[in-house]
Amino acid sequence: MSQSLHRALTILAELGEDSKTLDQLATTLGVHKSTVLRLLQTMEGERFVTHDAEHRYRLGSRLFELANRSLEGRDVRTAARPHLTALNAETGQTIHLATYESGEAIYIDKLDATQSVRMYSRIGRPAPLHCTAVGKVLVSAQPRGLWREIAEGLEYRPFTERTIRTPEQYLAELELVASQGFAEDHEEHESFVNCVAVPIRNGTGAVVAALSMSVPDMLLDHDQVLGLLPRVRAAADAVSTELGWSPGLDR
C-alpha cells in the first residue's frame, strides 16, 4: 500500500475514535507534523476531515455521505429497517442488524431501546465473534469446514466471567447455535445484558445477516428475553421473505 495512503487511512481511523490535534496525529504516525499537515490539508480540501477553532481535527461531511451511500446500498439493511423499527416499537428493546464481512461481524443498523438504557454497540463497528449473539449466528452460518480455522484465530478477550475462553468451547457453541437456529449472549459481552439473535436469509437460503435484541437484566431476566425469541424470529423471517426466502427452505 502507498505510504501516503496508509497514513491517510490511519488518520481517518484515529479521527473515527475522537477528535485529535496535529501533534497527536503526528505522534501516532511517527512522522513530522509538516507531513501530517500536508495530508490533512489535502483531506480537508476533499471534505474528508475538518478542524475547529482550537485546531482539533475530526471526520468531515464527505465521509458521512459515502458511509450513508454504502449503507443505503445494502439491500438487507433497506429491507430490514421497517421490521427492525416495528420490533423496536413493540418490545421497547435495543435491536441490532449485523453482517459478516472479511472475518468480522459488523453492525450495519441499530435502534436504541425506548428506555434510557443505551448499549455500547455502534453502527459500523465490529461485534466480537466469540461473545455476541450476532457473531455466533454469522459464524455458525459459515461452511463447517471453516469453523475450526475461525475458532482458532479468535482472541477470546474475556469481557465478563461468562465469556467463552477457548476454541473448543466456541466450537461447541456453534454446534448448539446451528442445531437450535438461534444464538444467545447470556451476559458474555456486557455484564447484566442478555441478547438473542437469529439469521436473516436471502432467496437462496444463505444467511446474509443476523438480527438481535439486547436487554439489560434490570428490565427483563434471561428467561423473559428468551420468551421474546418468537417475536425476534418473526421479524427476521419477514425480512428474509422480502429478500426472496421461502419458509419451505431449510433454516
Side-chain angles (χ1 to χ4, degrees):
M1 184 185 296
S2 161
Q3 189 175 59
S4 295
L5 176 58
H6 183 267
R7 288 170 178 168
L9 293 174
T10 301
I11 288 173
L12 291 177
E14 286 294 310
L15 298 183
E17 295 296 326
D18 198 3
S19 62
K20 297 286 194 304
T21 64
L22 178 61
D23 286 340
Q24 288 174 318
L25 292 170
T27 298
T28 298
L29 291 172
V31 298
H32 194 272
K33 289 190 292 186
S34 62
T35 300
V36 181
L37 183 59
R38 286 194 296 272
L39 286 171
L40 288 168
Q41 288 173 335
T42 299
M43 296 165 73
E44 190 163 22
E46 297 294 328
R47 295 188 293 113
F48 283 100
V49 303
T50 186
H51 72 275
D52 57 25
E54 297 177 355
H55 294 284
R56 293 188 67 86
Y57 289 86
R58 64 188 73 251
L59 297 177
S61 60
R62 180 75 178 280
L63 198 63
F64 296 113
E65 290 173 6
L66 293 175
N68 283 331
R69 289 178 188 174
S70 175
L71 289 173
E72 289 170 0
R74 296 170 185 267
D75 291 341
V76 63
R77 184 176 187 266
T78 301
R81 201 18 130 102
H83 302 287
L84 268 60
T85 300
L87 183 62
N88 173 252
E90 178 186 4
T91 65
Q93 307 305 332
T94 302
I95 308 300
H96 292 106
L97 184 69
T99 56
Y100 191 73
E101 302 177 17
S102 303
E104 292 185 314
I106 305 295
Y107 292 117
I108 62 170
D109 208 350
K110 175 187 178 183
L111 282 81
D112 283 312
T114 56
Q115 295 88 353
S116 60
V117 179
R118 293 292 182 267
M119 301 287 110
Y120 170 78
S121 55
R122 292 184 186 176
I123 295 174
R125 284 195 169 180
L129 297 179
H130 66 298
C131 61
T132 60
V134 292
K136 295 173 185 177
V137 165
L138 293 169
V139 174
S140 70
Q142 302 305 303
R144 285 178 178 265
L146 296 178
W147 283 9
R148 179 165 293 278
E149 178 183 346
I150 294 171
E152 292 180 349
L154 298 182
E155 182 182 348
Y156 296 101
R157 177 181 170 187
F159 288 91
T160 74
E161 292 182 356
R162 291 181 178 269
T163 304
I164 290 173
R165 307 296 178 90
T166 69
E168 294 307 321
Q169 287 179 318
Y170 190 57
L171 288 168
E173 184 77 357
L174 294 179
E175 290 286 357
L176 176 63
V177 172
S179 65
Q180 66 187 12
F182 71 92
E184 291 188 68
D185 162 9
H186 187 185
E187 300 183 41
E188 298 169 48
H189 186 212
E190 297 181 70
S191 296
F192 313 114
V193 175
N194 290 295
C195 180
V196 290
V198 296
I200 290 174
R201 300 175 183 275
N202 64 14
T204 70
V207 174
V208 293
L211 188 159
S212 73
M213 181 181 68
S214 301
V215 190
D217 67 2
M218 69 181 72
L219 299 178
L220 298 174
D221 63 27
H222 175 250
D223 289 340
Q224 289 173 314
V225 174
L226 282 180
L228 292 173
L229 178 61
R231 299 184 187 181
V232 178
R233 193 188 298 283
D237 286 353
V239 180
S240 298
T241 299
E242 290 201 25
L243 296 176
W245 174 78
S246 169
L249 295 173
D250 291 335
R251 289 185 180 276

